[in-house]
Amino acid sequence: MLKLAIKSLANRKTSALLTVIAIAVSVALLLAVERVKEQVQANFANTVSGTDLIVGPRSGDVQLLLASVFHIGALNNSMSWQSYEKLSQNRQVEWSVPISLGDSVSGMPVVATTAGYFQHFKYGNQQPLKLQHGEWFNHSEQAVLGADAAEKLDFRVGDQLIIAHGTGGVSFSEHSGHPIDVVGILNRTGTPVDQSIYVDLKTLEDIHSGETAGEAEEHAHGHTGHDEHADHHHPTSAISAALVGLKSRQMALFMQRDINTADGEPLTALMPGQTLQQLWKTLRVFEQALNGISAIVVIIGLLGMLTILLASLRERSREMAVLRAVGAGPGTLFTLLVTEAVLLTVVATASGLALLYVLQISLAGLIQQQTGLLFALQWPTTAEWWRMLFVVVAGFLMSLVPAWRAYRQSLADGLTVKI
Amino acid sequence: MALAIEIDRLAFAWQGDQLTLDIPQWQVEAGETVLLRGPSGSGKSTLLSLLAGINVAQLGRVKLLEQSLSDLSGRKRDRFRADHIGYIFQQFNLLPYLSALDNVLLATQFSPKRRQRVAESGQSAERLAMQYLQRLGLSASQQQQAASNLSVGQQQRVAAARALLGAPELLIADEPTSALDSDRRDDFIKLLLELSEQNNTTVLFVTHDASLGQYFNRHVELSDINQAVGGSSHA
C-alpha cells in the first residue's frame, strides 16, 4: 500500500513536490516561532543567576531589569550612593554590586562597577565570569571587555579606548582626554555580558568630573592610593542600579517589599526570575498572534494539498477503476488516499524541520551579531514535537475528504471509467 | 459438471421500468471458453457489471462458481472477485506509473487466495509473472518499463498476464482486442486461451466481433439469452 502510494505520488511529482514545499515552509515557520520564543526566553533566563534582587531608582520592574542587565532601554533616574550604602549594610545582604550605565564605546554599553562584579555576577547555571586574556581591572582607567565587544571593536589587551557619553553609536561628547587601558577580555558567555565594557565606577566619575577638574590631578589621584580613596570617599554620587545577593533567598520577597515601601529615596527592587515571567506574560499576546498566523499558514498549506488531491481524483478515476478490478475494495482506495496525504504531510513536516535547522545554522551567526542571542542547536523540544504532530493530524483529517470522495466515486463507477 | 456461471431468472433495470436485462436461464460450465457477442447497447456492460458484482440484480440470481453474489456483502464480493475472477478490459487496464511487471503483480497484492495458489505452484509471484510476460512476448527490459511507455498491444498482454496470475477460476474479458489490428488480435486470443487452458480457467470473452468465434468452444449471441433488448419473445 505504501509502495503504491509512493509510486502514485511519484507519478504526480510536480504537484506533490509543490505541496510538500508549501507545507514544509509553513511548518518551518510554525516551528520557528516556537523556537525563537523558547530560545529568547532561555537566553534571558541564562543571563542572570545568583542575583536575588536588583535594586534601582523607582521605575517599572521590567524597565529596570531590561536596562540594568540586558542594556535595553534606559533609566530616567539614578539611585544615590547613600541609598546604595544603606542597602549594602542591611544585615540580610550578603553581597552587593553597584552598576552605573549610560556611557558607551562605539555603541557598546559601558558598565561601571566594582571588582565585586566579577566575583558575584553569575550567568547560566551559576557560572562565574572568566577571563580569556589579561586580568581584572584593579583601578580606574582600566577596562575589561566582553568577548563580542572586543571582537567588534577589535581591541586587544594593551589597547586604549575612549569612552563616549550616551549610549548611541555616535556621540558628540567623547571623553577623549581619558584614554582607558584594556587590561582583560572575558570568555564568551552568550549573554549581554559579551557586548559590554566594564570599567571601575571611579573611572566614570573621573572622566565626568575630569571635564572640569585638572587632568593631571586626576591622573595622579588615580595612580596613588586608589584603594584608600574607595574606602574613605564615595567613588561616585549616584549609580544606576545594584545587584544584590541575600544571605537567604527566602528573604527576597520581604526585602523586595521593604525596599519598595521604604521611606526616603523611592527605589524599586525586583527579583529577576519573577520579572522575566512578568515580561513573558506581557509578550504572550504577541506570541499568540504569531502562533495564530503561522497556524493559519500551515492550514493554507494543507488546504493546498487538499485542493491538489481533490483535483487529481478526476484524472485518477482510471487508476481507481484498475485497482478495483484487481480486487481493491473501496475501503482500500480510501486507505490509499489517506496514506498518500499522510505521507505528503509527514515528508513535508520532516522537510520543514530540516529547513528550520538549515535556517538556524545559517542565520545563527547573524542573529548573535545583531542581537547577542545565542541560538543553541538542539533536538526538537516537546512543544515542537506537539506542533509537528498537530500538522500531521491536520493533514490526516483533511485527507478524509478526498478519501471519502474516492470511496464514493469508486462505488458508483465500479470497474468502468466514467468520463 | 461444475458450473462457472449460472444465471437464473435475472432481471435488471438501470432506472424506471425499462428492463435492460431479462435472462431466464444461462449457464457456462467450468473449463468452457465462451464468446458472448452483442452489439453496443445490447446490455453487455450491464451483464458484466452484474457478473463482477458491481451491481446487484433486482430480481433473480447470479451464481459464480456455485456462489450466489447477492448473498455476499460488498466487502466479500470485492474479495471474491479478487480471488476468483480475472478481468481484462477494452482499455484503462494498467496503472501507468507502475512497471509492466508490477502491474501484473497487483493481481496477487489484493488477493491472499491468489498468492496462495502462486505459492502452491512452487514459484515466486515475480518469477511466474515474468514467465507469463515472456510467453506473451514482452522482453525482460520491456517488463521493467512503465506501463505508460508500452504500446496498446503490449498493454493488453500485460493485462492478460495479470488476469491469469494466481490461476483464477474464471476469466472475463471485455472487448480486449478492439484496439488491436486483426493479426495481433488473433495472436493475442490464441495465447490467452492457451494460458487459460493450462490453468483450467473458464473464459468468458465479450465482444461485438463475431469473427472471433472460431477460437472458442461456444459462441453465444446476447440477444438469444436476453429477452429484454431486441429479444424475440418480448411480447
Side-chain angles (χ1 to χ4, degrees):
Chain A
M1 181 64 76
L2 194 63
K3 186 179 153 201
L4 208 59
I6 290 170
K7 290 205 169 168
S8 180
L9 282 174
N11 186 45
R12 291 167 283 131
K13 50 180 167 289
T14 313
S15 60
L17 198 67
L18 285 173
T19 310
V20 165
I21 289 172
I23 300 173
V25 169
S26 65
V27 167
L29 183 68
L30 187 72
L31 294 178
V33 171
E34 169 66 19
R35 182 156 291 194
V36 167
K37 178 204 107 180
E38 189 250 336
Q39 295 268 345
V40 166
Q41 293 196 357
N43 267 284
F44 273 58
N46 268 335
T47 300
V48 240
S49 77
T51 299
D52 297 318
L53 283 178
I54 294 173
V55 182
R58 175 70 36 101
S59 62
D61 285 3
V62 171
Q63 189 191 3
L64 177 59
L65 179 72
L66 290 181
S68 62
V69 179
F70 299 98
H71 314 312
I72 298 171
L75 292 167
N76 324 342
N77 299 316
S78 57
M79 172 181 174
S80 73
W81 184 257
Q82 283 80 5
S83 295
Y84 170 69
E85 277 198 320
K86 197 176 146 208
L87 173 70
S88 62
Q89 279 152 19
N90 187 305
R91 58 192 167 80
Q92 297 291 345
V93 172
E94 188 178 330
W95 57 265
S96 65
V97 176
I99 53 174
S100 189
L101 305 162
D103 285 1
S104 64
V105 174
S106 306
M108 295 296 181
V110 169
V111 180
T113 180
T114 63
Y117 190 90
F118 302 116
Q119 200 185 326
H120 296 299
F121 185 85
K122 303 265 171 30
Y123 70 96
N125 191 16
Q126 301 284 348
Q127 287 156 279
L129 297 175
K130 284 201 180 102
L131 281 166
Q132 187 181 343
H133 300 293
E135 54 184 18
W136 309 118
F137 60 70
N138 52 29
H139 59 81
S140 59
E141 285 156 37
Q142 293 188 334
V144 172
L145 270 57
D148 285 341
E151 199 169 284
K152 249 187 252 182
L153 303 175
D154 199 20
F155 278 132
R156 286 182 197 89
V157 172
D159 287 350
Q160 289 198 320
L161 53 81
I162 303 286
I163 293 179
H165 193 67
T167 52
V170 179
S171 174
F172 297 106
S173 130
E174 287 202 336
H175 308 298
S176 51
H178 288 269
I180 314 276
D181 292 325
V182 175
V183 294
I185 292 170
L186 295 170
N187 264 338
R188 194 174 292 279
T189 63
T191 72
V193 167
D194 295 349
Q195 317 272 328
S196 309
I197 293 163
Y198 293 92
V199 297
D200 197 279
L201 266 182
K202 194 64 189 66
T203 311
L204 222 54
E205 186 68 11
D206 284 351
I207 57 178
H208 287 152
S209 59
E211 240 77 289
T212 48
E215 204 179 307
E217 188 221 322
E218 287 299 320
H219 266 274
H221 198 60
H223 285 294
T224 53
H226 169 260
D227 291 336
E228 259 178 301
H229 180 97
D231 286 343
H232 299 298
H233 304 278
H234 301 158
T236 181
S237 59
I239 58 170
S240 301
L243 308 181
V244 177
L246 299 176
K247 286 178 180 140
S248 152
R249 290 201 76 171
Q250 281 74 35
M251 296 309 293
L253 207 59
F254 298 104
M255 273 291 284
Q256 185 188 22
R257 205 178 48 202
D258 275 359
I259 293 167
N260 284 342
T261 57
D263 296 333
E265 188 182 6
L267 296 176
T268 295
L270 62 86
M271 291 185 273
Q274 195 192 44
T275 305
L276 273 180
Q277 288 308 314
Q278 203 181 320
L279 175 62
W280 303 140
K281 219 166 159 183
T282 322
L283 293 178
R284 198 153 294 158
V285 179
F286 298 102
E287 183 203 326
Q288 278 169 350
L290 281 177
N291 273 334
I293 291 168
S294 39
I296 289 170
V297 172
V298 168
I299 288 170
I300 291 171
L302 291 172
L303 280 175
M305 174 179 81
L306 181 63
T307 312
I308 284 171
L309 286 180
L310 278 177
S312 70
L313 279 188
R314 190 173 297 273
E315 65 194 65
R316 290 175 74 192
S317 56
R318 156 188 183 162
E319 188 182 333
M320 300 294 162
V322 173
L323 286 171
R324 287 278 278 148
V326 296
T332 309
L333 299 186
F334 186 88
T335 317
L336 180 71
L337 272 144
V338 170
T339 309
E340 267 184 38
V342 170
L343 200 65
L344 279 177
T345 327
V346 167
V347 169
T349 307
S351 314
L353 185 65
L355 182 64
L356 179 72
Y357 278 105
V358 168
L359 284 176
Q360 195 181 339
I361 289 166
S362 52
L363 295 180
L366 192 69
I367 291 172
Q368 211 205 336
Q369 224 172 27
Q370 299 287 327
T371 64
L373 293 173
L374 200 65
F375 277 42
L377 274 186
Q378 54 177 24
W379 280 109
T381 59
T382 317
E384 287 170 342
W385 285 118
W386 275 113
R387 280 168 187 237
M388 289 189 269
L389 187 68
F390 157 78
V391 175
V392 173
V393 168
F396 165 75
L397 290 178
M398 286 207 174
S399 74
L400 297 179
V401 178
W404 178 244
R405 272 280 189 85
Y407 180 89
R408 295 298 303 272
Q409 189 175 308
S410 71
L411 276 182
D413 289 4
L415 307 187
T416 59
V417 179
K418 300 240 166 69
I419 296 170
Chain B
M1 195 77 187
L3 293 175
I5 302 174
E6 187 180 1
I7 292 174
D8 194 19
R9 285 191 301 269
L10 176 77
F12 183 86
W14 281 108
Q15 52 196 338
D17 48 13
Q18 179 67 46
L19 280 180
T20 309
L21 287 177
D22 178 6
I23 304 177
Q25 181 79 33
W26 190 57
Q27 293 170 345
V28 174
E29 284 177 9
E32 259 192 310
T33 60
V34 177
L35 178 101
L36 181 65
R37 203 206 72 84
S40 313
S42 60
K44 279 183 309 199
S45 299
T46 309
L47 179 58
L48 283 177
S49 78
L50 293 175
L51 289 175
I54 298 295
N55 292 304
V56 177
Q58 285 99 339
L59 277 173
R61 69 173 59 234
V62 177
K63 269 181 155 179
L64 292 185
L65 313 167
E66 321 271 298
Q67 170 66 56
S68 170
L69 288 182
S70 49
D71 291 349
L72 295 174
S73 68
R75 181 184 292 264
K76 281 190 174 154
R77 272 204 302 275
D78 284 334
R79 167 58 48 82
F80 182 84
R81 184 166 62 237
D83 284 346
H84 302 287
I85 310 172
Y87 286 92
I88 309 172
F89 300 98
Q90 184 174 1
Q91 49 187 341
F92 304 129
N93 265 310
L94 306 181
L95 294 186
Y97 51 84
L98 293 183
S99 70
L101 184 61
D102 282 342
N103 261 294
V104 176
L105 290 171
L106 275 179
T108 51
Q109 183 161 359
F110 296 101
S111 167
K113 186 93 181 235
R114 286 211 200 187
R115 276 202 294 277
Q116 188 194 332
R117 280 192 292 243
V118 167
E120 280 163 8
S121 76
Q123 298 197 70
S124 72
E126 197 164 330
R127 282 294 292 275
L128 206 57
M130 285 165 84
Q131 273 179 28
Y132 280 9
L133 286 171
Q134 195 77 44
R135 296 252 331 247
L136 287 161
L138 270 87
S139 69
S141 69
Q142 283 169 333
Q143 294 175 17
Q144 297 302 333
Q145 275 187 32
S148 50
N149 293 339
L150 298 175
S151 72
V152 177
Q154 287 165 336
Q155 288 187 27
Q156 278 314 35
R157 281 176 273 168
V158 174
R162 185 179 61 205
L164 290 165
L165 186 69
E169 287 92 335
L170 181 61
L171 175 73
I172 296 180
D174 181 13
E175 307 252 17
T177 55
S178 61
L180 306 181
D181 59 48
S182 60
D183 285 351
R184 290 176 170 279
R185 185 193 62 194
D186 291 10
D187 286 347
F188 175 78
I189 290 172
K190 275 188 240 171
L191 269 168
L192 185 69
L193 292 174
E194 202 179 306
L195 286 169
S196 306
E197 201 180 334
Q198 280 177 6
N199 287 340
N200 281 323
T201 299
T202 309
V203 178
L204 177 64
F205 195 99
V206 181
T207 180
H208 64 277
D209 188 350
S211 68
L212 302 174
Q214 51 174 319
Y215 300 107
F216 295 84
N217 300 152
R218 191 145 70 99
H219 176 164
V220 177
E221 287 288 325
L222 182 56
S223 56
D224 290 345
I225 57 169
N226 180 17
Q227 306 185 341
V229 181
S232 51
S233 58
H234 195 66

PDB file of all heavy atoms in Angstrom, chain A residues 18 40 56 87 105 123 156 158 202 269 271 289 300 316 331 348 356 393 402:
ATOM      1  N   LEU A  18       5.360  20.484  -5.051  1.00  0.00           N
ATOM      2  CA  LEU A  18       4.898  21.824  -4.682  1.00  0.00           C
ATOM      3  C   LEU A  18       4.129  21.786  -3.365  1.00  0.00           C
ATOM      4  O   LEU A  18       4.290  22.657  -2.513  1.00  0.00           O
ATOM      5  CB  LEU A  18       4.013  22.404  -5.792  1.00  0.00           C
ATOM      6  CG  LEU A  18       4.793  22.870  -7.025  1.00  0.00           C
ATOM      7  CD1 LEU A  18       3.842  23.265  -8.144  1.00  0.00           C
ATOM      8  CD2 LEU A  18       5.687  24.047  -6.667  1.00  0.00           C
ATOM      9  N   VAL A  40      14.813  32.678  23.064  1.00  0.00           N
ATOM     10  CA  VAL A  40      14.932  34.013  23.650  1.00  0.00           C
ATOM     11  C   VAL A  40      14.731  33.920  25.159  1.00  0.00           C
ATOM     12  O   VAL A  40      15.504  34.471  25.947  1.00  0.00           O
ATOM     13  CB  VAL A  40      13.909  34.986  23.025  1.00  0.00           C
ATOM     14  CG1 VAL A  40      13.782  36.250  23.856  1.00  0.00           C
ATOM     15  CG2 VAL A  40      14.325  35.333  21.607  1.00  0.00           C
ATOM     16  N   GLY A  56      17.063  49.510  42.109  1.00  0.00           N
ATOM     17  CA  GLY A  56      17.395  50.693  41.329  1.00  0.00           C
ATOM     18  C   GLY A  56      16.436  51.809  41.662  1.00  0.00           C
ATOM     19  O   GLY A  56      15.604  51.669  42.561  1.00  0.00           O
ATOM     20  N   LEU A  87      21.739  50.123  51.695  1.00  0.00           N
ATOM     21  CA  LEU A  87      21.297  48.800  51.245  1.00  0.00           C
ATOM     22  C   LEU A  87      22.371  47.757  51.508  1.00  0.00           C
ATOM     23  O   LEU A  87      22.110  46.668  52.038  1.00  0.00           O
ATOM     24  CB  LEU A  87      20.970  48.859  49.745  1.00  0.00           C
ATOM     25  CG  LEU A  87      20.657  47.538  49.051  1.00  0.00           C
ATOM     26  CD1 LEU A  87      19.312  47.002  49.511  1.00  0.00           C
ATOM     27  CD2 LEU A  87      20.657  47.723  47.528  1.00  0.00           C
ATOM     28  N   VAL A 105      31.103  52.798  24.179  1.00  0.00           N
ATOM     29  CA  VAL A 105      32.243  52.888  23.277  1.00  0.00           C
ATOM     30  C   VAL A 105      31.759  52.344  21.938  1.00  0.00           C
ATOM     31  O   VAL A 105      31.455  51.157  21.825  1.00  0.00           O
ATOM     32  CB  VAL A 105      33.435  52.051  23.794  1.00  0.00           C
ATOM     33  CG1 VAL A 105      34.562  52.045  22.773  1.00  0.00           C
ATOM     34  CG2 VAL A 105      33.908  52.567  25.134  1.00  0.00           C
ATOM     35  N   TYR A 123      26.056  33.740  35.531  1.00  0.00           N
ATOM     36  CA  TYR A 123      25.095  33.564  34.432  1.00  0.00           C
ATOM     37  C   TYR A 123      24.855  32.077  34.241  1.00  0.00           C
ATOM     38  O   TYR A 123      25.534  31.250  34.858  1.00  0.00           O
ATOM     39  CB  TYR A 123      25.620  34.210  33.149  1.00  0.00           C
ATOM     40  CG  TYR A 123      26.789  33.488  32.546  1.00  0.00           C
ATOM     41  CD1 TYR A 123      26.612  32.563  31.516  1.00  0.00           C
ATOM     42  CD2 TYR A 123      28.088  33.714  33.018  1.00  0.00           C
ATOM     43  CE1 TYR A 123      27.686  31.889  30.978  1.00  0.00           C
ATOM     44  CE2 TYR A 123      29.168  33.040  32.483  1.00  0.00           C
ATOM     45  CZ  TYR A 123      28.967  32.128  31.460  1.00  0.00           C
ATOM     46  OH  TYR A 123      30.025  31.451  30.931  1.00  0.00           O
ATOM     47  N   ARG A 156      42.516  44.607  21.785  1.00  0.00           N
ATOM     48  CA  ARG A 156      43.249  43.550  22.486  1.00  0.00           C
ATOM     49  C   ARG A 156      43.764  44.118  23.798  1.00  0.00           C
ATOM     50  O   ARG A 156      43.753  45.326  24.012  1.00  0.00           O
ATOM     51  CB  ARG A 156      44.429  43.065  21.641  1.00  0.00           C
ATOM     52  CG  ARG A 156      43.965  42.210  20.491  1.00  0.00           C
ATOM     53  CD  ARG A 156      45.119  41.686  19.680  1.00  0.00           C
ATOM     54  NE  ARG A 156      44.572  41.246  18.389  1.00  0.00           N
ATOM     55  CZ  ARG A 156      44.441  42.050  17.331  1.00  0.00           C
ATOM     56  NH1 ARG A 156      44.872  43.289  17.399  1.00  0.00           N
ATOM     57  NH2 ARG A 156      43.905  41.609  16.223  1.00  0.00           N
ATOM     58  N   GLY A 158      45.996  45.753  26.232  1.00  0.00           N
ATOM     59  CA  GLY A 158      47.070  46.699  25.984  1.00  0.00           C
ATOM     60  C   GLY A 158      46.625  47.863  25.119  1.00  0.00           C
ATOM     61  O   GLY A 158      47.239  48.917  25.123  1.00  0.00           O
ATOM     62  N   LYS A 202      34.908  54.359  39.597  1.00  0.00           N
ATOM     63  CA  LYS A 202      35.763  55.517  39.789  1.00  0.00           C
ATOM     64  C   LYS A 202      36.116  56.146  38.432  1.00  0.00           C
ATOM     65  O   LYS A 202      36.182  57.375  38.307  1.00  0.00           O
ATOM     66  CB  LYS A 202      37.019  55.018  40.511  1.00  0.00           C
ATOM     67  CG  LYS A 202      37.895  56.049  41.106  1.00  0.00           C
ATOM     68  CD  LYS A 202      37.171  56.799  42.212  1.00  0.00           C
ATOM     69  CE  LYS A 202      38.022  57.983  42.620  1.00  0.00           C
ATOM     70  NZ  LYS A 202      38.134  58.956  41.542  1.00  0.00           N
ATOM     71  N   ALA A 269      12.788  47.420  43.869  1.00  0.00           N
ATOM     72  CA  ALA A 269      13.548  46.177  43.978  1.00  0.00           C
ATOM     73  C   ALA A 269      12.782  45.112  43.211  1.00  0.00           C
ATOM     74  O   ALA A 269      11.556  45.069  43.231  1.00  0.00           O
ATOM     75  CB  ALA A 269      13.702  45.777  45.437  1.00  0.00           C
ATOM     76  N   MET A 271      12.874  40.829  41.697  1.00  0.00           N
ATOM     77  CA  MET A 271      13.501  39.521  41.607  1.00  0.00           C
ATOM     78  C   MET A 271      13.591  39.180  40.124  1.00  0.00           C
ATOM     79  O   MET A 271      12.564  39.149  39.437  1.00  0.00           O
ATOM     80  CB  MET A 271      12.679  38.489  42.360  1.00  0.00           C
ATOM     81  CG  MET A 271      12.723  38.719  43.866  1.00  0.00           C
ATOM     82  SD  MET A 271      11.875  37.419  44.765  1.00  0.00           S
ATOM     83  CE  MET A 271      10.224  38.042  44.760  1.00  0.00           C
ATOM     84  N   ALA A 289      -0.332  35.817  18.785  1.00  0.00           N
ATOM     85  CA  ALA A 289      -0.671  36.325  17.457  1.00  0.00           C
ATOM     86  C   ALA A 289       0.210  35.654  16.407  1.00  0.00           C
ATOM     87  O   ALA A 289      -0.266  35.184  15.372  1.00  0.00           O
ATOM     88  CB  ALA A 289      -0.503  37.838  17.411  1.00  0.00           C
ATOM     89  N   ILE A 300      -3.349  26.785   5.424  1.00  0.00           N
ATOM     90  CA  ILE A 300      -3.407  27.143   3.998  1.00  0.00           C
ATOM     91  C   ILE A 300      -2.593  26.142   3.188  1.00  0.00           C
ATOM     92  O   ILE A 300      -3.015  25.674   2.129  1.00  0.00           O
ATOM     93  CB  ILE A 300      -2.905  28.586   3.775  1.00  0.00           C
ATOM     94  CG1 ILE A 300      -3.914  29.568   4.372  1.00  0.00           C
ATOM     95  CG2 ILE A 300      -2.690  28.863   2.292  1.00  0.00           C
ATOM     96  CD1 ILE A 300      -3.443  30.997   4.408  1.00  0.00           C
ATOM     97  N   ARG A 316      -7.753  10.531 -11.921  1.00  0.00           N
ATOM     98  CA  ARG A 316      -7.317   9.246 -11.401  1.00  0.00           C
ATOM     99  C   ARG A 316      -8.425   8.210 -11.369  1.00  0.00           C
ATOM    100  O   ARG A 316      -8.237   7.129 -10.819  1.00  0.00           O
ATOM    101  CB  ARG A 316      -6.765   9.429  -9.990  1.00  0.00           C
ATOM    102  CG  ARG A 316      -5.455  10.179  -9.955  1.00  0.00           C
ATOM    103  CD  ARG A 316      -5.020  10.446  -8.559  1.00  0.00           C
ATOM    104  NE  ARG A 316      -4.534   9.223  -7.924  1.00  0.00           N
ATOM    105  CZ  ARG A 316      -4.303   9.112  -6.635  1.00  0.00           C
ATOM    106  NH1 ARG A 316      -4.533  10.126  -5.853  1.00  0.00           N
ATOM    107  NH2 ARG A 316      -3.856   7.990  -6.134  1.00  0.00           N
ATOM    108  N   GLY A 331     -12.742   0.498   0.442  1.00  0.00           N
ATOM    109  CA  GLY A 331     -12.010   0.792   1.674  1.00  0.00           C
ATOM    110  C   GLY A 331     -10.515   0.903   1.415  1.00  0.00           C
ATOM    111  O   GLY A 331      -9.828   1.745   1.997  1.00  0.00           O
ATOM    112  N   ALA A 348       6.615  16.493   4.319  1.00  0.00           N
ATOM    113  CA  ALA A 348       6.664  17.951   4.372  1.00  0.00           C
ATOM    114  C   ALA A 348       7.071  18.433   5.766  1.00  0.00           C
ATOM    115  O   ALA A 348       7.858  19.356   5.908  1.00  0.00           O
ATOM    116  CB  ALA A 348       5.312  18.535   3.987  1.00  0.00           C
ATOM    117  N   LEU A 356      14.153  24.351   9.122  1.00  0.00           N
ATOM    118  CA  LEU A 356      14.358  25.138  10.338  1.00  0.00           C
ATOM    119  C   LEU A 356      15.822  25.064  10.782  1.00  0.00           C
ATOM    120  O   LEU A 356      16.450  26.072  11.100  1.00  0.00           O
ATOM    121  CB  LEU A 356      13.439  24.620  11.448  1.00  0.00           C
ATOM    122  CG  LEU A 356      13.576  25.337  12.794  1.00  0.00           C
ATOM    123  CD1 LEU A 356      12.974  26.730  12.717  1.00  0.00           C
ATOM    124  CD2 LEU A 356      12.902  24.544  13.896  1.00  0.00           C
ATOM    125  N   VAL A 393      -1.611  15.451  12.069  1.00  0.00           N
ATOM    126  CA  VAL A 393      -3.007  15.101  12.363  1.00  0.00           C
ATOM    127  C   VAL A 393      -3.950  15.934  11.496  1.00  0.00           C
ATOM    128  O   VAL A 393      -4.916  15.415  10.932  1.00  0.00           O
ATOM    129  CB  VAL A 393      -3.311  15.294  13.867  1.00  0.00           C
ATOM    130  CG1 VAL A 393      -4.808  15.215  14.122  1.00  0.00           C
ATOM    131  CG2 VAL A 393      -2.580  14.240  14.687  1.00  0.00           C
ATOM    132  N   PRO A 402     -10.859  13.920   0.395  1.00  0.00           N
ATOM    133  CA  PRO A 402     -10.682  13.246  -0.898  1.00  0.00           C
ATOM    134  C   PRO A 402     -10.830  11.725  -0.784  1.00  0.00           C
ATOM    135  O   PRO A 402     -11.299  11.080  -1.731  1.00  0.00           O
ATOM    136  CB  PRO A 402      -9.265  13.625  -1.328  1.00  0.00           C
ATOM    137  CG  PRO A 402      -8.597  14.118  -0.117  1.00  0.00           C
ATOM    138  CD  PRO A 402      -9.654  14.664   0.786  1.00  0.00           C
TER     139      PRO A 402
END
